[in-house]
Amino acid sequence: MTSEALKKAREFEAQYGPHIPAAERPAFHATPTIGWMNDPNGFSMYRGECHLFYQYHPYSNEWGPMHWGHLRTKDFIRWERLPAALAPDEAYDASGCFSGGAIELPDGRQMLMYTGVQRAHNAEGFIQDVQTQCVAIGDGVDYEKHALNPVLSGKDLPKGGSTIDFRDPKIWRETDGTYYVVIGNRTEDESGAILMYKSADGLNWEFMRTLDRCHNQYGRMWECPDFFALDGKQVIFTSPQEMNPIGLEFHAGNGTLCLMGGYDAEKGFTRGRVQAIDYGLDFYAPQTLEAPDRRRIMIAWMQNWSTVGAKPFHCRWFGQMTLPRELSVRNGRLYQAPVRELEKYRGPAVIHHHITVCGESNLPGVQGRLVDMTVTVRPMGQGSYRWFRLHVAKDGQHDTIIRYKPDESTLKIDRTRSGLPHDIVHTRSFLVRPNNGEIKLRVILDRFSVEVFVNDGEAAASAVIYTPQEADAITFEAGGQVLIDVEKYDLIFNEDKED
Ligand code: FRU
């Protein structure tokens, strides 16, 4: 049965969503039908297609009582809009249907698992969240919240676990039919932990273990955990709140954490390498799925909580997802590459080999705002250059800069002049590893974003821009002299087919 709240949301998005012209949205990054979007939810395969739900407040471009919006894709690039899937319409989720996951059930139905939020007075009379885990089962469009909800609540927490911060279940099923879920929780030291539960039916859950804990080392509360096997490692993703910066690896505020290690059913998770997931300005709350061809694919909210106020005046949608990315582990590091399906949308190649850059110049056929471009930068002997800058989305007033400094091995993304006239963080630098002095930058441009993949994906950096589309120049600049190779494709979409 569709509740009044869900009916209202569906009518609202059906009425006003189509008013937003396709040209005012990204061409291939997922956006909300209307209003506000944050975390990806339930990013998973169902009946051979990929479903992506998202934290959704259709009625304004600001966060509000959380619904789940719904998109579907056959190729991770073109998104089809489906009606909102969940609305806050039960006592246990009256203050919001927060983030969670989804799976296909053996009987062919789809199960969503999410955090139900209600607000209650605590012992001191203060109003605070009570967060529990709930499920809804459906056919890929309509979902029924389960009579057993909430299926996990305060009584299922280990000692010291907080019911105020108990959220973001990521569910999966192993080949033996057992269901597992990882959930973020705050512990008695006020920092985060990832709890792991198992179940025979997805409804009755048993606490297994605390998979890993923050101990106030990497931020405080750990949001949106994910846990999966990748190239012989076990990987935990989580998004910590209130991070203190650590070198150029972790910036202050809401960050992302990749914990790589091993997993043993007896001993649990043993943590090895720790790294950030994305080094840019806008990236949070990633989720992964395993595609039918076994690729591990990740998508994330391409935003930063601390800059959500920086948006175009009266915009009718706000928040977008990153490009889905294929993950792998190489030399103990997380690698990311744009999903290969993007290549189907490439126009003819524009190739320039062995070009000397000295000062600033452009190249024939190299401009545009829907672009997939790889630039390889090589020194012309020892110390031939002090810095190299790639300028994109450029005109007389605008400029987004990706700068490499060989003496520091740093890459900087700078969107100071990218159409966001707000006093927010606009630059971020991170360490990269040149190969024999060479650095390779793959840059994906959509109308409102730049994503950079360094050296075949050893680091990625994402940033939202709102540069007017007419600013479409791309230039190359060196302090000194460098040699570059450029391989550039326009990305071509038939927008009539959208939605
Ligand atoms: C992360 C988050 C989640 C929560 C959701 C609420 O961005 O804070 O922990 O479920 O957003 O919208």
Side-chain angles (χ1 to χ4, degrees):
M1 238 237 330
T2 309
S3 69
E4 280 308 308
L6 185 58
K7 219 169 119 218
K8 187 173 146 223
R10 286 179 166 189
E11 281 168 9
F12 184 84
E13 60 180 9
Q15 184 175 357
Y16 296 107
H19 291 189
I20 305 174
E24 288 181 19
R25 294 180 182 273
F28 54 101
H29 286 78
T31 51
T33 301
I34 180 147
W36 163 279
M37 162 192 270
N38 60 289
D39 314 354
N41 294 158
F43 182 53
S44 59
M45 299 304 299
Y46 179 61
R47 295 189 180 156
E49 290 184 310
C50 166
H51 285 245
L52 172 67
F53 303 84
Y54 54 90
Q55 289 286 279
Y56 185 32
H57 184 238
Y59 305 113
S60 79
N61 60 24
E62 286 166 351
W63 192 87
M66 279 291 111
H67 295 58
W68 275 33
H70 194 178
L71 293 161
R72 185 168 64 188
T73 181
K74 288 184 172 42
D75 68 357
F76 301 104
I77 304 293
R78 303 302 305 265
W79 300 93
E80 179 193 348
R81 298 193 180 282
L82 293 175
L86 298 176
D89 51 18
E90 295 285 346
Y92 53 75
D93 62 19
S95 292
C97 300
F98 276 19
S99 288
I103 48 164
E104 180 162 354
L105 293 174
D107 66 7
R109 293 179 303 162
Q110 189 179 34
M111 183 160 106
L112 316 182
M113 189 168 188
Y114 67 98
T115 298
V117 182
Q118 56 184 312
R119 311 216 79 200
H121 293 273
N122 70 9
E124 284 88 47
F126 259 58
I127 296 177
Q128 63 188 24
D129 274 12
V130 178
Q131 303 191 337
T132 59
Q133 316 316 319
C134 305
V135 300
I137 297 180
D139 61 2
V141 178
D142 296 307
Y143 302 86
E144 196 82 42
K145 291 180 183 171
H146 204 281
L148 287 179
N149 281 342
V151 296
L152 277 163
S153 60
K155 65 177 178 1
D156 304 298
L157 286 171
K159 195 169 161 290
S162 158
T163 53
I164 306 173
D165 292 295
F166 177 36
R167 60 178 173 275
D168 310 334
K170 174 76 198 302
I171 186 173
W172 75 97
R173 206 163 111 255
E174 291 289 345
T175 39
D176 69 358
T178 311
Y179 297 79
Y180 293 89
V181 67
V182 285
I183 309 173
N185 189 217
R186 196 187 289 258
T187 62
E188 62 274 37
D189 70 6
E190 298 199 347
S191 73
I194 297 170
L195 310 181
M196 186 168 174
Y197 295 81
K198 70 174 177 186
S199 168
D201 57 8
L203 299 169
N204 298 285
W205 293 92
E206 181 193 330
F207 177 70
M208 286 174 71
R209 58 167 44 96
T210 295
L211 199 56
D212 203 350
R213 288 185 68 145
C214 176
H215 294 296
N216 281 299
Q217 189 185 8
Y218 298 107
R220 304 296 286 273
M221 173 62 187
W222 280 0
E223 300 190 306
C224 303
D226 198 349
F227 184 49
F228 52 89
L230 187 65
D231 298 332
K233 301 274 183 207
Q234 280 298 140
V235 179
I236 294 177
F237 281 177
T238 187
S239 298
Q241 296 177 309
E242 300 173 70
M243 286 275 266
N244 283 312
I246 305 177
L248 293 179
E249 189 66 25
F250 297 105
H251 59 80
N254 285 69
T256 52
L257 199 57
C258 167
L259 308 169
M260 228 177 255
Y263 184 74
D264 178 298
E266 292 293 303
K267 294 196 223 90
F269 180 73
T270 5
R271 194 197 289 179
R273 190 192 179 97
V274 178
Q275 64 164 103
I277 302 176
D278 184 284
Y279 295 88
L281 292 147
D282 295 297
F283 187 93
Y284 199 63
Q287 260 196 1
T288 69
L289 61 69
E290 189 181 359
D293 59 9
R294 317 266 352 236
R295 278 178 297 165
R296 179 60 58 176
I297 298 179
M298 171 184 75
I299 195 164
W301 186 37
M302 192 155 50
Q303 250 307 321
N304 183 324
W305 276 111
S306 58
T307 58
V308 294
K311 61 186 103 178
F313 192 54
H314 284 327
C315 60
R316 286 175 283 176
W317 63 268
F318 179 75
Q320 51 178 318
M321 299 298 172
T322 63
L323 190 58
R325 301 174 183 176
E326 296 177 14
L327 302 182
S328 56
V329 178
R330 280 185 243 165
N331 310 318
R333 272 193 73 82
L334 180 73
Y335 272 68
Q336 313 175 35
V339 274
R340 62 196 65 172
E341 285 84 346
L342 184 69
E343 292 162 27
K344 287 190 309 188
Y345 296 92
R346 286 174 167 178
V350 176
I351 308 241
H352 294 278
H353 268 310
H354 228 63
I355 306 292
T356 305
V357 179
C358 170
E360 186 172 357
S361 54
N362 52 11
L363 287 169
V366 180
Q367 76 283 316
R369 287 294 292 274
L370 301 181
V371 167
D372 178 354
M373 176 174 71
T374 300
V375 181
T376 309
V377 183
R378 246 172 275 123
M380 297 172 77
Q382 189 74 24
S384 81
Y385 72 111
R386 299 179 306 285
W387 47 261
F388 171 78
R389 289 190 193 134
L390 172 62
H391 301 261
V392 299
K394 182 173 163 120
D395 64 9
Q397 283 177 41
H398 303 96
D399 195 5
T400 299
I401 307 167
I402 299 145
R403 188 214 60 193
Y404 175 60
K405 271 189 116 178
D407 60 334
E408 295 176 349
S409 293
T410 56
L411 198 75
K412 180 164 92 174
I413 187 155
D414 181 349
R415 55 125 188 250
T416 310
R417 303 203 312 144
S418 304
L420 275 167
H422 294 257
D423 187 17
I424 58 171
V425 176
H426 285 299
T427 65
R428 192 148 281 150
S429 296
F430 55 99
L431 285 172
V432 295
R433 288 151 206 79
N435 290 322
N436 298 323
E438 204 176 284
I439 183 119
K440 197 162 147 191
L441 306 171
R442 182 166 174 200
V443 179
I444 310 291
L445 295 180
D446 196 346
R447 294 194 181 101
F448 305 106
S449 61
V450 182
E451 287 165 281
V452 184
F453 298 85
V454 186
N455 294 341
D456 299 311
E458 66 154 39
S462 315
V464 165
I465 60 172
Y466 291 108
T467 320
Q469 302 305 308
E470 306 76 65
D472 67 350
I474 295 176
T475 64
F476 308 89
E477 188 186 8
Q481 277 200 324
V482 287
L483 277 177
I484 61 167
D485 293 337
V486 178
E487 181 179 336
K488 180 250 175 183
Y489 303 87
D490 286 321
L491 295 168
I492 298 166
F493 301 91
N494 176 359
E495 304 226 309
D496 298 340
K497 278 203 204 135
E498 200 175 62
D499 301 336

